[in-house]
Amino acid sequence: MKKIRRLLLLAVLLPAGAFLAGWAALHGSLPQIDGSVELAGLKSRVTVKRDRLGVPELSAWSLDDMTRAMGFLHAQERFFQMDLLRRTAAGELSELVGGRALDHDRSMRIHRLRHVAGQIVAGQKADDRRLLEAYTDGVNAGLDALAVSPFEYLLLRQPPRPWIPEDSLLVVLAMYADLQDENANADAERGYLQSVLPASMYRFLFPVGSQWDAPLMGTTIDPSLPPLADVYDLRSIAEANQDTNSAVPDYEPEMAAGSNNWALAGHRTAHGGGLLANDMHLRQRVPAIWYRARLKVANVRGRNLDVTGVTLPGTPLLIAGSNGRVAWAYTNSNGDWTDRVILESHPEDDGRYLTPDGYRDLVNHREVIRVKGGEDVVLEVRSSRWGPVIGRDRQGRLQSVRWLAAIPEATNVRLLEMMFADSVDEALRIAPEIGMPQQNLVVADADGNIGWTIIGKIPRRGAGFDPSLPASWAGSGTGWNGLLGAAEYPRVINPPSGQIWTANSRVVGDAELTLIGDGGYGLGARSRQIRDDLAALQDATPGDFLKIQLDDRALFLDRWRRLALDLLALPGNRQTAQRRLAAKVLADSELRASTDSQAYRLVREFRNLCFSRARHFLALEARRADPDYQPRLSRRFEAVLWQLVEQQPRHLLDPRYDSWADFLLAALDDSVSKLDPDQDGLLATWGDYNVVRINHPLGKIPVLGEHLNMPPYAAAGDTFMPRVQSANFGASERFAVAPGREAEGYFHMPGGQSGHPLSAYYRAGFRAWATGEPLPFLPGEPVHTLQLLPLTPD
C-alpha cells in the first residue's frame, strides 16, 4: 500500500511539477513594463508609459535613442512575429518549423532576398544605417533582457536567432511579397490565353474598366464587347467536341490584399482642418501585424517631434499615423510591379541568353535551405540580368521575373522622414524618395489640405512591349530603364470636390495609368461606395468616417438581387417551394452583409455560382489545351459576366443550358438548395458563414490553441463594400484622425499590443475592433512606467 501511495503521489506531483515549470517559463518570457532597465548605447533616459490597453508613449531626447528603445519594446512583445516575417521573405521558415515549410522556402529562395537585403543595408545613407544599427541593438537587448526565450521557441524547441540590420529590410520585403505578384503569374496567364484565344475574346476577358470605376483622375473606361458569333462561337466548339464538363470549381471572391483610405479637405470638415481615415486590409493573425505607439522626441531637427500611429515590428518605421501637422495612410496600389521576361536562349546553349548587349551567361547560385529535423536541401538558382529563372512557359522558353523588391535601389528606410512632414506638399515631395511596397498615399494636413500620390519607387519602362504580357527584353529600349524621377509621379492636391479616396481600384487614367500599370487593380465597387458616402458629408467628424468604415450595405450585389427577382417573376416559370422561398427572402428592400441576413447570403451564392460557371466555360479552349490550367482571369471579371447577363449572347452560352434564363435560374435553384439542405424553409444566414477566426501561427496545438487564438465570432461585412471582412482577412487597423486634433480621433486593431498570451494586453482592444466601438487614437492615462537608462559606468 505504501508503494501504491507513493506511485499515486508521483502521478500527481510529476504533472503538477511539469505544469508549474511550464507556467514559470511562460511568466519568464513576459515583457518588463515597470521599473528600470539599463540599455547599452543609450545616450539619455527613455521613458515608456503604457495605458490600459498597453499602448506605449515613448519620450526620448534623440532619434537614435528612440529607435533603440523601439527595438527593445518590439523584441520584448513581438519577437516571434518579427522572426516569422524575416524568415518568410528570406525563405528560411523550414529551419524553424521543419519540412512543412519547404515549398514556401523554395518559392521565396529563388529571389535571394537575404542577399538583396544585405545590398540594401550597404547602400543606405550613414544616418539611416546608424538608425538601423541602433534598432538592431535595441532588439537584441530586449531579447536578452527576457528571463526566458519567447514561449514559441520553448514549444518549437529552438533558440531564437539574434537580429541583424538585414533582417529589418527582410521584414519590409516580406510586405512586398504579401502585397504583390512576385512571380508575375498574372502576366503568364494573360500570355497563355492570348496564345489560344481570338484577339477579341482575349480583350473581352480582360476589361480595362467597367461602370464601377471611381478614379480620382480620368474617367470610366467601358469594357470591351463580347466577340461576335462569326468570330468566336464557343457553344458550337463545345458541342462539336462534346465538351460539357460539369466539374466547375467553387469560386470565392478574391480577398486580395488591399485597404481603404480617404480624406476630406478643411472646407468639408467640422473644424476646418484636414480629416483622414484608413483601414488596411490584410490577412489577420495573432498577434496583430501592427504595434501602436506614440513617439515623442525633444528638440530634434529644431522641433519637438510628437507622432502617433502604427509601427511594423522588425523595423524602426512608423508606418501610418499623424504628427500633429500631417496625417498619412495607405492602400495597396495594385500597380504593375513585376514583369515576366522571355529569355531568348542561344540555339546551342540554353545557359546563355540574348540581351541588348549580346549573349550573356546565366549566373548560377547555390542556396542551402536548412530544415529542422531533416537534411539540408540544396536549391540551384539560375539568374539572368533581370532576375531569377522561374521555369519554362508552355512553348518551352525559359522565363525570368523582374520584381521591384529584388532591386536594392527600390527599398530603403526613408519612410522615417514622413514623421517630420509639415504639410501635404512636403509629404508628397518626400514620397518618391521612399523605398517601400508601392502604395496609394493619402495625406491631410492641419491647414485643411489633402493630397494623393504613389509612395514607393516606380520603374521606367521602355517602349515596344506590353508589360501585362510576357515579353522578350533582348531588344534595345525594352524592359525597365531605371526608376522614375520625383517630378514624373502623378499627384492630386486639393481637388475641387474636397475629397480623395482610394480602395485598390484604378485611381488614374491615360498617361498616368501607363506609368503605374495594371497589376490587377480591383473592380471599383468599394471605391465608388466610399466616394458616394463621402459626397454626402459636410462638416464631417471622425464619427462620420467610422460609419463609412462600418458600412456593410451591399450596393454592388443589389443588382443581382433584382436580377433574381426578375427571373422568378418570368411568365411560365415553374413555381417550386424553393423558388417561393427565394422570392420571399429576396423581397427585403435593402441588402446588407449583416450577420442575420438570409438575403445577402443567397444573393452572394447566386452571383458566385454564375461567376464560376461562366468563367469555367469561357476558358474551355484554354483548359482543353492544358488540362492543368485553372482560370483566374481578371479581378474585374464582373464586367464580363454582367455583359453576358444583359446581352445574353447564345454563342457564349454553355450548351448544357437552352437559354441564359435557364443558366441563371439553375444557379439560383442550386444556391437555394445549398443554403437550405434540409428543405425546412430556413436559409443559412451570412453570420452562419462569415465567422471570423483570427489565430496564432501555433494555434492548432491541442488545448493550447484555444488560449492563443482570438475568440471566434460572426461578423458583418464582405468584399465589395467598405466593411471588408472574411474569416481571417479584413481591417488590420482602423482609424480616423485630424492632424493637430489627434485627441478627437479613434483607433481599432484586431488584437492586443502584446504577443504573449499571459499578458493583460494580449486581447486588449479586440472586442472594440469587432463591434466598432471607438477607442482613442492617442494612448490614455499611464498605468505602467518603464525607464530605459544608459549603462552606468563601472
Side-chain angles (χ1 to χ4, degrees):
M1 290 300 297
K2 287 182 179 179
K3 290 182 179 179
I4 292 173
R5 283 195 293 269
R6 287 172 186 157
L7 289 173
L8 289 173
L9 184 60
L10 282 173
V12 172
L13 290 178
L14 286 175
F19 174 80
L20 290 173
W23 189 262
L26 275 176
H27 268 277
S29 59
L30 277 166
Q32 184 174 344
I33 58 178
D34 283 304
S36 63
V37 177
E38 289 189 347
L39 185 55
L42 278 187
K43 299 298 189 294
S44 301
R45 175 195 306 261
V46 177
T47 301
V48 182
K49 298 178 181 178
R50 286 178 169 89
D51 71 359
R52 64 182 181 86
L53 297 175
V55 180
E57 178 184 292
L58 290 79
S59 298
W61 291 91
S62 74
L63 198 56
D64 284 22
D65 281 355
M66 175 64 73
T67 304
R68 193 178 302 271
M70 183 54 67
F72 183 91
L73 295 191
H74 281 169
Q76 290 246 309
E77 304 215 70
R78 300 289 193 89
F79 188 82
F80 184 66
Q81 171 194 0
M82 297 160 55
D83 192 12
L84 290 185
L85 285 170
R86 66 174 169 177
R87 290 176 182 273
T88 295
E92 297 170 352
L93 285 171
S94 297
E95 184 180 12
L96 184 66
V97 302
R100 75 191 75 174
L102 264 175
D103 287 346
H104 167 85
D105 284 354
R106 287 190 182 100
S107 70
M108 290 306 300
R109 192 62 75 89
I110 65 169
H111 296 287
R112 304 184 68 237
L113 292 184
R114 180 164 288 283
H115 174 71
V116 173
Q119 292 179 298
I120 296 170
V121 171
Q124 295 303 291
K125 296 179 180 179
D127 287 348
D128 293 339
R129 191 160 56 248
R130 188 185 70 250
L131 289 175
L132 274 174
E133 290 168 353
Y135 179 82
T136 297
D137 291 344
V139 169
N140 290 324
L143 187 61
D144 290 343
L146 294 173
V148 178
S149 294
F151 77 94
E152 294 94 343
Y153 297 95
L154 302 179
L155 294 172
L156 293 170
R157 299 180 182 180
Q158 289 273 75
R161 191 170 70 192
W163 203 255
I164 59 176
E166 289 94 314
D167 293 333
S168 291
L169 275 303
L170 281 169
V171 170
V172 176
L173 295 174
M175 297 305 296
Y176 277 93
D178 195 36
L179 297 168
Q180 299 177 1
D181 179 8
E182 68 269 21
N183 289 326
N185 291 321
D187 290 7
E189 182 185 36
R190 293 180 70 134
Y192 173 56
L193 291 177
Q194 189 196 48
S195 71
V196 298
L197 298 176
S200 58
M201 185 62 177
Y202 170 78
R203 288 193 300 270
F204 177 57
L205 290 179
F206 290 96
V208 177
S210 78
Q211 71 175 89
W212 294 102
D213 288 350
L216 290 178
M217 304 170 67
T219 60
T220 58
I221 301 173
D222 292 332
S224 298
L225 296 173
L228 298 175
D230 58 354
V231 174
Y232 194 58
D233 188 344
L234 187 57
R235 184 181 179 91
S236 296
I237 293 172
E239 290 173 332
N241 289 277
Q242 297 183 337
D243 193 327
T244 56
N245 180 14
S246 60
V248 182
D250 289 339
Y251 165 74
E252 274 294 309
E254 181 185 4
M255 304 297 286
S259 308
N260 302 324
N261 64 3
W262 62 81
L264 286 182
H267 68 269
R268 298 279 306 279
T269 68
H271 47 69
L275 184 60
L276 175 138
N278 189 209
D279 47 301
M280 293 186 275
H281 306 148
L282 294 168
R283 194 70 55 189
Q284 293 164 329
R285 57 182 68 90
V286 178
I289 189 166
W290 311 117
Y291 183 83
R292 298 178 63 185
R294 183 177 188 178
L295 313 178
K296 302 170 80 171
V297 185
N299 195 25
V300 57
R301 301 188 189 179
R303 64 185 287 184
N304 291 326
L305 180 68
D306 185 353
V307 57
T308 304
V310 293
T311 66
L312 176 60
T315 77
L317 306 174
L318 192 132
I319 304 299
S322 179
N323 66 9
R325 287 292 306 162
V326 172
W328 68 99
Y330 313 110
T331 68
N332 198 26
S333 63
N334 288 323
D336 189 1
W337 315 122
T338 53
D339 280 335
R340 276 285 180 106
V341 183
I342 298 171
L343 300 183
E344 296 187 31
S345 298
H346 190 282
E348 298 176 1
D349 181 3
D350 72 358
R352 307 190 72 209
Y353 65 100
L354 188 62
T355 76
D357 304 316
Y359 281 101
R360 293 289 183 269
D361 291 333
L362 292 172
V363 178
N364 296 308
H365 304 282
R366 188 172 184 268
E367 293 286 319
V368 178
I369 301 175
R370 310 290 181 195
V371 183
K372 176 189 174 184
E375 297 292 325
D376 292 349
V377 173
V378 176
L379 186 67
E380 301 292 342
V381 178
R382 293 198 294 174
S383 295
S384 72
R385 69 195 298 179
W386 301 298
V389 175
I390 59 172
R392 297 181 184 272
D393 63 12
R394 291 172 174 85
Q395 287 76 47
R397 300 172 297 184
L398 289 176
Q399 293 190 336
S400 273
V401 63
R402 187 64 160 164
W403 181 27
L404 268 173
I407 300 176
E409 296 78 18
T411 304
N412 55 46
V413 293
R414 302 298 292 165
L415 183 58
L416 290 163
E417 295 301 310
M418 194 63 73
M419 296 192 299
F420 296 94
D422 201 48
S423 65
V424 162
D425 284 338
E426 188 175 356
L428 298 189
R429 178 187 60 76
I430 294 169
E433 301 173 5
I434 294 170
M436 60 178 279
Q438 294 69 28
Q439 304 286 290
N440 291 306
L441 171 69
V442 172
V443 291
D445 68 25
D447 295 328
N449 302 298
I450 58 175
W452 165 89
T453 191
I454 294 292
I455 190 170
K457 303 296 184 178
I458 300 176
R460 185 189 306 281
R461 287 186 166 93
F465 79 104
D466 181 349
S468 70
L469 297 169
S472 170
W473 288 10
S476 178
T478 58
W480 295 4
N481 303 307
L483 302 170
L484 292 187
E488 299 172 272
Y489 275 57
R491 292 181 172 186
V492 173
I493 300 177
N494 291 333
S497 66
Q499 64 183 57
I500 287 175
W501 65 95
T502 80
N504 318 120
S505 57
R506 182 173 62 86
V507 176
V508 297
D510 305 324
E512 291 83 5
L513 182 59
T514 300
L515 285 178
I516 297 172
D518 177 6
Y521 54 82
L523 180 66
R526 183 158 40 93
S527 298
R528 182 173 170 177
Q529 191 162 335
I530 291 168
R531 179 200 66 186
D532 294 347
D533 284 350
L534 288 173
L537 295 180
Q538 189 62 42
D539 299 327
T541 67
D544 294 320
F545 279 13
L546 181 57
K547 291 177 183 176
I548 297 177
Q549 289 180 321
L550 301 178
D551 182 5
D552 60 10
R553 292 174 301 145
L555 304 185
F556 165 72
L557 280 182
D558 193 59
R559 68 179 182 182
W560 285 91
R561 180 184 70 88
R562 297 194 303 270
L563 172 64
L565 287 171
D566 289 345
L567 288 167
L568 293 170
L570 285 174
N573 264 356
R574 180 171 50 89
Q575 292 300 311
T576 65
Q578 284 184 319
R579 292 181 180 180
R580 287 191 293 271
L581 174 60
K584 177 183 177 182
V585 167
L586 295 175
D588 290 345
S589 58
E590 184 176 53
L591 195 64
R592 308 185 76 103
S594 56
T595 56
D596 61 349
S597 178
Q598 296 177 328
Y600 182 79
R601 180 80 188 275
L602 177 57
V603 174
R604 184 183 190 272
E605 185 67 28
F606 169 50
R607 186 253 179 188
N608 285 359
L609 279 181
C610 292
F611 187 112
S612 57
R613 291 173 179 179
R615 181 178 64 174
H616 188 72
F617 179 67
L618 294 179
L620 170 64
E621 289 201 285
R623 290 186 290 103
R624 286 179 56 211
D626 180 357
D628 294 329
Y629 169 66
Q630 292 292 331
R632 293 175 60 209
L633 303 182
S634 168
R635 290 175 64 194
R636 303 181 294 278
F637 186 75
E638 172 74 16
V640 174
L641 181 58
W642 197 252
Q643 285 196 80
L644 297 177
V645 169
E646 289 192 317
Q647 299 181 29
Q648 302 195 0
R650 185 171 177 80
H651 59 287
L652 298 180
L653 175 65
D654 189 325
R656 289 181 296 158
Y657 306 99
D658 291 332
S659 68
W660 279 100
D662 287 342
F663 170 87
L664 295 167
L665 278 168
L668 184 57
D669 289 342
D670 291 344
S671 299
V672 177
S673 296
K674 179 177 179 179
L675 302 184
D676 182 21
D678 299 327
Q679 297 185 4
D680 58 6
L682 293 174
L683 294 184
T685 66
W686 178 234
D688 293 331
Y689 175 82
N690 201 39
V691 177
V692 174
R693 292 181 173 86
I694 302 177
N695 297 336
H696 190 280
L698 304 181
K700 291 184 178 180
I701 296 176
V703 182
L704 180 62
E706 64 186 70
H707 299 289
L708 297 179
N709 302 330
M710 292 295 118
Y713 77 100
D718 195 13
T719 307
F720 299 109
M721 59 193 60
R723 188 170 191 169
V724 171
Q725 189 59 56
S726 72
N728 62 356
F729 186 95
S732 63
E733 48 74 51
R734 191 186 292 136
F735 72 78
V737 65
R741 298 174 177 83
E742 286 80 5
E744 301 171 13
Y746 62 83
F747 187 93
H748 290 144
M749 195 164 72
Q753 285 286 101
S754 178
H756 198 296
L758 297 185
S759 169
Y761 307 128
Y762 188 68
R763 292 182 173 84
F766 173 78
R767 185 58 59 190
W769 169 85
T771 61
E773 173 195 350
L775 294 175
F777 181 80
L778 294 176
E781 291 297 317
V783 295
H784 297 282
T785 301
L786 175 67
Q787 301 288 350
L788 300 178
L789 306 174
L791 282 179
T792 303
D794 293 335

